[in-house]
Amino acid sequence: MLYPQSNTKRELIELNGIWSFKLDDGTGVANRIYEQKLQGTIPMPVPASYNDLTEDARVRDHVGDVWYEREFYVSEAWRGKRIILRFGSVTHYGKVWINGQEVIEHHGGYTPFEADIAPFVFFDRKNRVIVLVNNVLDYTTVPIGEVNVRRDAAGNEIRKQDYFHDFFNYSGIHRPVRIYTTAQQYVKDITIRTDLRGQTGVVYYKVETEGSTNVKVTILDEQENVVAESSGLHADMEIEDPVLWEPGAAYLYTLKVEVISIDGSVVDTYNELFGIRTVKVEGKEFLINGKPFYFKGFGKHEDAEIHGKGLDEALNIKDFSLMKWIGANSFRTSHYPYSEEIMRLADREGIVVVDEVAAVGLHLSLGAYASSNKRNTWQTIQCQESHQLAIKELIKRDKNHACVVMWAIANEPAGEEEGAYEYFKPLADLTRKLDPTRPITIVNYFAASPTTCKIHSLSDVLCLNRYVGWYAFGNDLEMAGRVLHQELLAWWNLTAKPVFLTEFGADTIQGLTSTVPLMWSEEYQCDFLQTYHQVMDKLDFVVGEHVWNFADFATKQGIVRVDGNKKGVFTRDRRPKKAAHFLRERYRNIKDYYYKTEGN
Ligand code: GCB
């Protein structure tokens, strides 16, 4: 799905800013409140999560529908054009009315959706957009969750949202809302794949159009020089001695598509940025541009004070600056697709991304989450359809990003339980069919061990999240190191696939210090990391390490979290803990390529 852009043929306006907002009282849809101006609203910014923006616990913990509204004009000059209203994301469900008429609904909280609103808008007066946002997670959604209902003393229904993942269920219109125009004949979609044949860069493109199929395709370099030209809806184009997209040294070409109408005039155009690079898993190596790459970085979250999960471009710039400062070259979009704006920034900045769908918490019997009645996850949940949709929409959105080198189609599912393989096989097949150019992974947790895991054969890279030294063998790092070492070897012996430690970390209270290893202290976090480093450095099949987490983040309330998860190397407001300086020493000495092959 193409990112909205303004260019010589397309116009774009932003509908970000202050909207009107109210919680639903359970009767909004039945009373068709979307037909009139909303009553009893409060101001609410877009994009942002609404949860932390008032001093009202009912807003923070609301379960169910909320309403957003604003007014806007469209230019008379847009008559006859397609007028596309586009939401970057609405978490987790959105339904949209323009001037009282329903135009679109969308399931899934982390991918964009859009509709042509031209038939519904007024050109001679104000328009009203109303959005119903629903944040309920159940067994049919990704992530999964369950809503528990009880009654208070007065007999009122109280709904509590429970879920099996470790980040707060922030909700709202999280990403930009925009309107853009196109002609009736237009570029619908572009797919770009790149390869290298010797010194020649091969750029395969496929264009989908509406109306005319007569297109002109041009590739421009960063200086806007034309380096290749073509016509037709698909072709292989060649660029001699291209500048490759490399980690830390991004280079982006532009594929410009022009749609030509029957009279020879250009009616639509779209400029898609792309990088030329290859990705391949071979033996024990993860190859980018044919060279063994070593991932150093973090599992992250889109999470901040006040904004919650709302897009914050200043925060993104700060995070990228911190990642560069510390020497990281990559991150994982744990545990859902991040904003399109972050992905574009990663392309531009040469940061490598493992791109994950929101299939998190698919384990009903894990430790703190397991209720007294243990259930088989795969017989209980019914989210395969949403999961499929999430994969399709992620790949449709992110397929052209040079920064994306691997798809993660779930985080920590119950891979050890009966039914896991049957659940995941079709999803893995689907992912490979949609994108044969990138490796895929299902991020593994401790319970799906080399002896119990039923789904490791579906991953190209074994991405492991491990917490020995924290949840097990806390304060026994010597033992933790041995257990980790044995397990990694067992994986290698079993699968002969590269291993990537996608999570390892220890909760750490900034300012809590100690001369002896003391869990929760800043020193323990460093010792914990060092234990893992020592093990990983001995094993040449380990291709990467992502510390959990880049920064402290909000979680649901409970007895294992004090004001959120504290495994950040940075605090939630992005101040370095001791571990940040410690990691910086290490990361700056690890090169992007050939780390393991040079005998470290
Ligand atoms: C995990 C999860 C992550 C949690 C983390 C933790 O395995 O993937 O979402 O936040 O552990 O800190 O417990």
Side-chain angles (χ1 to χ4, degrees), residues 166 335 411-412 465 467 471 503 548 553 561 565 567:
D166 185 35
H335 296 305
N411 181 66
E412 302 196 344
N465 296 347
Y467 290 91
Y471 294 120
E503 284 183 27
W548 191 256
F553 58 91
R561 297 284 178 258
N565 187 309
K567 294 191 186 71

Side-chain angles (χ1 to χ4, degrees), residues 68-107:
Y68 282 78
E69 174 194 70
R70 71 162 278 169
E71 294 176 332
F72 64 98
Y73 285 98
V74 294
S75 161
E76 285 192 342
W78 292 0
R79 279 184 201 273
K81 295 196 183 241
R82 295 173 70 243
I83 301 174
I84 310 299
L85 173 64
R86 190 182 193 277
F87 292 82
S89 74
V90 172
T91 313
H92 296 281
Y93 166 84
K95 192 172 198 169
V96 182
W97 290 265
I98 298 287
N99 301 323
Q101 303 209 52
E102 183 184 330
V103 293
I104 192 169
E105 65 170 347
H106 182 259
H107 293 268

